[in-house]
Every structure is written in C-alpha cells, then in structure tokens.
Amino acid sequence: MNADNAAKPIYVTDVILRDAHQSLIATRMRTEDMLPVCEKLDQVGYWSLEVWGGATFDACVRFLKEDPWERLRQLRAALPNTRLQMLLRGQNLLGYRHYADDVVEAFVERAAANGIDVFRVFDALNDLRNLETAIRAVKKTGKHAQATICYTTSPVHTTALYIKQAKALRDMGADSIALKDMAGLLTPYATYDLVKALKEAVDLPIFIHSHSTAGLAALCQLKAIEAGAEHIDTAISSFAGGTSHPATESQVAALKGTQWDTGLDLELLQEIADYFREVRKKYHQFESEFTREDVSVQISQVPGGMMSNLANQLKEQHALGRIREVFDEIPRVRKDLGYPPLVTPTSQIVGTQAVLNVLSGERYKTITNEVKRYLAGGYGQPPAPVDPQIQKQAIGNGEVIDVRPADLLKAELPQLRAEIGEAALSEEDVLTYAMFQDIGRKFLEERNSGTLTPEVLLPIGSNDRPADEGVPTEFTIDVHGESYQVSITGIGALGAGKRSVYLTLDGVPEEVAFKPLNSFVAGASSERGGRVASLPGHVTTSMPGNIVDVLVTVGQQVTAGQAVLVTEAMKMETEIQAPLAGTVTAVNVVKGDRVTPGDILIEIE
Ligand code: MN
C-alpha cells in the first residue's frame, strides 16, 4: 500500500444533541430524551458529540425551563468516554451582544469545568478580533480550541480571503479549523478546491460542518475528505437531512472498506437512530415544511435554524404565506449590510429586518436597534462596505467605530453579580443571567421558588397546523379525566379585540369568539384589550413581541419619528416611533408586556 492509500480514518462528530434538533424542531429536545440513549452514544466511538450552544442554552431557559448547566453536567456524567463539544459565538458567547472580556473568560472557564472538551468558536462576520479572547481563554483551560471560518458566498468571499483567515487563526493558537457551512451553500467541487487550498496553507485538522439544506452536504463532505479534511459533522439518520446534516450511518457506510473507514458500528448506530425516531414524534408541533431540502438556499442563503425559526415566527402572526417574500428580501438586506455570513446573530439581524421590510410595506421604515448597532460598527467589521444611504438613515451622523467592539466595554462581572444578587446560587447562574438578562432572571427566580413551568407538548397524533391554512386543527383535550375531541376549521371575523374561530366540539360546529392567545396581556395593560389601532395617533407594532422599554409618559410632548417604545421580537429590539407630533394621552403598556399587531400601545393626540 503506498502512502496515499494508507489508512486514514475519518473522525465523526455527531450533532444529534445540538444542531440536529436545532435545525429540525426549533431546538426543543429535552434532557430527559437524551439521557436514556447516552450509554449507547458513548459506545459508538465518535470523535465528539456536539451538545451545547447558544440556541440550546436559550431554549432551555426560555421554553423548556431546564437549567442548561445542569443539562451539561448530566450529559458529562452520562458520556464519560466521549468528548463533548460546544458552539461558542466568540465575543457574543451564547447571547446576542458583545460581552466584556471578563465575562468571556469566566464563561469559558465554567463551561470547561462543567464538561466541555472542544470549543468551536466563531464570529458571524469572520471578524477575527472577536475570536481572540475566547480562543485564549480556551487555551488557558487546556481544552481544544477550534476556530471557525463561516462560509458564505459574495463578491468579497474568495478563497484568498479564507486562506488569509485560516493562517491568522493558526497564528492565534487554534488547534483545528472548522469550515462552517451553516446554510448549506457549499457545492462539492467548491469544497474540494477550498479544502485543498486550506490544507496547503495551514497544517491543522479540518472539520466540515455543512447543512443538507440544498441536498449537497454529503457530497461536499466526500470531496472534502478527498481533499484532505479529517473530520465530518453528521446527525444520526432520524434527525438528518434537510436543514440538518448528512446522516451519520450513510457517511459511515459510504466510507466503509476505504482508506477513510470510520470504524463505527452501523448496527449500534441503527439502534440509536431507532431511539431518536420515536423521540422525534413527541416534538411534532415544531416540525416545519421549511426544513426539507430546498435548493433555493443557494439564492436566499437562509441557514436551516433560521428558516425554521422564521417559519415559526411568521406562523405566529398568520403571515406564513409571505415567507417567500421574506426569503427574497433577505439577500437584498444582506447586500445593504456588506454581505455578512448569515449565522447567529447576523441571521437574526438580517432576518428580522427583512421581515420588517416586508410586513411594514416599506423598506427600512422601521430599523431594528441591532441593525443600527451593526451599521455603527458595533458587531465588528462587515466583510464589505455597507450601503451609505441606509447607514445614514439608521444612525444619522452618529459615530461609527472601527475598533474591536469589546475594547469599548469595561469589566462587567461585578455589576452582573450585583444585579442578579441572591437569585444566583452559583457563578454559572450569574452567567445565565449575563446571557439572557430578564429571561435569565425570571428563570432563576422561578427555579429557586420551584415554579418553573415548561411549555406544553401537544399529544402525539394531534394536528397542530394553523387553522388559517384551511386544514382542520384537531386536539384532544382532557378535562377532569374526560377526553374531548375539538377541531378548529377556520378563523372567523375580527371583532373588538377578539377573533372568532369555527370550533367543532364533538361534531357540533359553532362560531366562538376568542381573544388570540398571543395578545393576552395581564395586569397593567388590560385596558388595551377590546380596541384595535385605528387612529393616526395610535402607536402599534408590526410584529408580535415584548415591551422592553417605555420611553414616554402621559402628558409628554413628542415629535413625529421620536422613539416612544422599544419592543423585542425574534430576539431583536426595535424602536417604535411616534407616527405624528403631539401629546401622549395614554400609555397602555408596561415593560414585559406581550403585544401583538393592532394593539394600541400608546395614544398621541
Ligand atoms: Mn450548524
């Protein structure tokens, strides 16, 4: 056997516990569905299992009401023989803003201490300055620092640029390089050329993380292997394909008997796949038709996780029918912003702005705070120049920074510790608060008082499609031990703050008025119920969300265009402006309220 044919096993990272369910069921898999199969997972001989990341952490705190640190400790204990891997958003850690270096250092140290062995670190803009602190912190713990190149296509994203980045990452001390193709944009021959060039430029192991969105990822991985890549990310078959990843078993079978044989046991993998096939059924309400293979990603560049989240968000506001318009708008916004790769947080920044541009009927009529911050240099340097006119519209003559954003931040941990106070029982709790602020605090307080309430999973077999798609939505409801069959066959007229639906209960159809659940508001804002914005001075919102801040009080004079509210939708903040000049006559919302389009939030006369 000559040197070229010498055995060179390919190492496999299975992403079933992180990216696979993030890409297919909105990151909802619970720890209780992971632990029973860990013994088998631990026997496979994977190079690593990806178990943690921003979205899993977020979903734990926001929806599942699980302590993400506790999940990590449980997985660590259940997987003693397998490296655990996490995805870290560089200076953003697992959150959506830049943190000061002391928070980055503390987070990495605690994540390592709780069980992470491999840190895959990326920056959404590939601004490598945003990786430096995290990589240094990982090296300090003695764990594996994997630096990431986010792959995208644009006039400025050339092989030469990626090689320059790879060399800089090597010089930073990276132990390996991940080529992260979050949207499934790689094509097989482009992969071959890029990996070949990277292997010639830097002597580091290369990991191929590619989503099957366009149906090409398995082919890309094979070409990457031929070009010298050593590692592939796969998902066990029952959570593979589409916006997820190539199936583990398929790749293992494809390489079997070759010089790249992974050595993994297909029968054991099949047992694991059978287990997760059953698990997946429990989460049917989070399945989306937009997670299937769709080559249009080669045009829109929307990554898998973003596609299923956008679909869920639009569904919530009965605007799912406009998703194609949003997909068309995304590349335009991306060009305006200097071609950022689309990955958290830029995927949300671009995606939310695209939704606003479509739903509000006028591009950049409303600009999110994150887009303003982005255009002011607050996330780092965009890959290409931004549109100067939109930049001016967004930030006026405000300052644009060109230093590393975190250089402008003072140490934050002391203040975070003081803010969260006794609700934090550990340093990990302080970091949970640091990541998610109000939601983090709420989680910690509810955990401490034993009042955490996870979101409800619809029973298997119920049809959860939205009623306005013309398909009956059927539920089985159990009340005091009796089961009722309920089906909703359509949405009726919008009344005063209420909408009627056509409800069939035990076969008898009836039109019943309901207040939509997503406009339910408790306490101080209840006076808003019953009326819908109709006058020019009624301030409303174009997307359902939460009130983050109220900037005006009753009696205050405001000018047209003045910011009066800050809302949060799709994890992005938006300032809502006064539609006209006048006096504020009513403020119907307080911080924390859930609001929906049509609600009268503020009245100006
Ligand atoms: Mn991914």
Side-chain angles (χ1 to χ4, degrees), residues 121-152:
V121 187
F122 77 95
D123 177 67
L125 299 177
N126 287 326
D127 183 339
L128 305 187
R129 300 170 304 173
N130 294 332
L131 302 184
E132 281 168 6
T133 302
I135 286 181
R136 200 183 324 118
V138 175
K139 301 294 285 183
K140 200 173 155 196
T141 65
K143 303 293 188 181
H144 185 112
Q146 183 170 107
T148 305
I149 292 172
C150 295
Y151 180 76
T152 190

Side-chain angles (χ1 to χ4, degrees), residues 34-106:
M34 301 175 180
L35 293 176
V37 76
C38 279
E39 199 182 330
K40 281 184 181 164
L41 286 170
D42 204 34
Q43 288 167 16
V44 171
Y46 290 123
W47 188 83
S48 68
L49 276 162
E50 192 190 37
V51 298
W52 230 41
T56 46
F57 201 103
D58 188 334
C60 274
V61 172
R62 198 182 294 262
F63 304 116
L64 311 181
K65 306 300 177 185
E66 288 185 21
D67 188 331
W69 296 95
E70 182 56 26
R71 170 184 289 185
L72 176 56
R73 287 188 290 270
Q74 287 180 307
L75 290 174
R76 176 73 287 166
L79 294 158
N81 302 306
T82 308
R83 288 182 194 87
L84 300 188
Q85 181 167 329
M86 79 169 293
L87 182 64
L88 190 77
R89 300 168 187 157
Q91 205 71 26
N92 292 0
L93 296 173
L94 302 184
Y96 303 96
R97 67 171 177 93
H98 282 240
Y99 290 93
D101 287 340
D102 65 333
V103 182
V104 176
E105 284 153 9

Side-chain angles (χ1 to χ4, degrees), residues 169-196:
L169 294 170
R170 173 198 61 198
D171 296 345
M172 226 182 261
D175 295 305
S176 60
I177 288 183
L179 185 58
K180 179 177 168 65
D181 174 27
M182 52 279 165
L185 287 169
L186 277 171
T187 55
Y189 293 95
T191 310
Y192 183 88
D193 292 344
L194 180 55
V195 171
K196 193 99 185 147

Side-chain angles (χ1 to χ4, degrees), residues 18-19 180 182 209 211 245:
R18 202 282 296 178
D19 205 348
K180 179 177 168 65
M182 52 279 165
H209 177 90
H211 288 256
H245 298 262

Side-chain angles (χ1 to χ4, degrees), residues 8-12 199 204-207 224-225 228-232:
K8 202 179 152 218
I10 291 299
Y11 302 104
V12 177
K199 285 305 286 185
L204 287 176
I206 295 200
F207 289 64
I225 289 165
E230 296 89 345
H231 293 255
I232 55 174

Side-chain angles (χ1 to χ4, degrees), residues 271-455:
E271 289 171 30
I272 294 167
D274 289 344
Y275 172 81
F276 281 111
R277 192 169 300 111
E278 288 308 306
V279 164
R280 186 165 173 175
K281 292 178 187 167
K282 278 177 68 173
Y283 298 97
H284 61 98
Q285 76 209 70
F286 304 108
E287 300 273 359
S288 152
E289 63 181 293
F290 293 97
T291 56
R292 292 176 204 148
E293 281 171 8
D294 183 348
V295 185
S296 70
V297 68
Q298 296 267 344
I299 303 162
S300 72
Q301 301 218 341
V302 181
M306 181 180 176
M307 212 175 271
S308 76
N309 279 331
L310 274 176
N312 271 333
Q313 290 288 343
L314 288 168
K315 193 158 123 182
E316 191 184 325
Q317 53 201 293
H318 305 294
L320 193 56
R322 304 193 72 178
I323 197 162
R324 287 285 160 199
E325 284 172 75
V326 173
F327 287 171
D328 289 345
E329 175 65 6
I330 284 170
R332 291 194 285 265
V333 174
R334 186 168 169 261
K335 180 168 184 281
D336 296 337
L337 299 187
Y339 299 109
L342 294 183
V343 61
T344 304
T346 44
S347 53
Q348 282 84 352
I349 292 171
V350 171
T352 307
Q353 190 60 52
V355 169
L356 280 172
N357 285 357
V358 168
L359 293 189
S360 64
E362 186 187 328
R363 303 186 76 227
Y364 301 104
K365 182 181 169 196
T366 306
I367 300 177
T368 67
N369 286 356
E370 282 75 10
V371 168
K372 291 178 189 173
R373 190 175 306 139
Y374 176 99
L375 291 170
Y379 289 91
Q381 195 185 1
V386 301
D387 184 298
Q389 211 173 334
I390 291 163
Q391 187 179 39
K392 182 134 178 40
Q393 194 180 335
I395 60 170
N397 294 320
E399 193 195 355
V400 179
I401 62 160
D402 59 4
V403 296
R404 184 185 76 120
D407 285 342
L408 303 174
L409 300 173
K410 290 197 195 71
E412 306 183 63
L413 269 179
Q415 199 198 330
L416 289 164
R417 283 196 197 101
E419 278 172 19
I420 190 62
E422 290 181 355
L425 306 179
S426 63
E427 185 78 350
E428 286 83 350
D429 285 352
V430 174
L431 293 164
T432 298
Y433 171 66
M435 294 308 107
F436 298 107
Q437 300 280 299
D438 292 346
I439 288 167
R441 176 192 295 279
K442 184 164 174 274
F443 171 81
L444 295 173
E445 287 171 355
E446 289 178 356
R447 183 202 60 187
N448 296 348
S449 63
T451 55
L452 288 171
T453 324
E455 70 183 350

